Amino acid sequence: MDEDQDALDLAADWADISQALRKDLGQQLHSQWIRPVQVGSFEKDTGTLELFLPTEFSANWVSERFADRLSLAWKIARPDVRHV
């Protein structure tokens, strides 16, 4: 049951982060690159959160342009996240 709650908490945090990024980046960039992001697993021992995108190209594009912003947003939302 804790895993289900953790998944719900991660989804809620992602909804908040995604909404803030939409305001920051604009609707077009957000729709094309941020909205497709899916939250994967969170490894509490290492503080590592996995994020997934539908293609390797989009994952690389988002990583190159938004990795720092995504990492900071997650660290603010969940201080136990140390790596994204």
Side-chain angles (χ1 to χ4, degrees), residues 21-36:
L21 287 170
R22 186 180 64 78
K23 290 177 185 173
D24 191 30
L25 300 173
Q27 183 64 38
Q28 185 174 353
L29 272 177
H30 179 269
S31 292
Q32 187 168 4
W33 301 107
I34 302 301
R35 190 182 317 156

Side-chain angles (χ1 to χ4, degrees), residues 6-54:
D6 287 345
L8 290 173
D9 292 345
L10 287 170
D13 289 339
W14 174 240
D16 293 343
I17 290 167
S18 179
Q19 184 71 6
L21 287 170
R22 186 180 64 78
K23 290 177 185 173
D24 191 30
L25 300 173
Q27 183 64 38
Q28 185 174 353
L29 272 177
H30 179 269
S31 292
Q32 187 168 4
W33 301 107
I34 302 301
R35 190 182 317 156
V37 172
Q38 296 291 314
V39 177
S41 63
F42 175 59
E43 182 58 51
K44 291 180 183 180
D45 294 341
T46 62
T48 302
L49 176 68
E50 291 183 318
L51 300 178
F52 295 99
L53 280 122

Side-chain angles (χ1 to χ4, degrees), residues 42-73:
F42 175 59
E43 182 58 51
K44 291 180 183 180
D45 294 341
T46 62
T48 302
L49 176 68
E50 291 183 318
L51 300 178
F52 295 99
L53 280 122
T55 67
E56 186 174 344
F57 176 82
S58 61
N60 289 336
W61 201 94
V62 168
S63 179
E64 289 170 9
R65 287 160 182 83
F66 303 119
D68 291 343
R69 192 176 296 195
L70 285 167
S71 183
L72 179 61

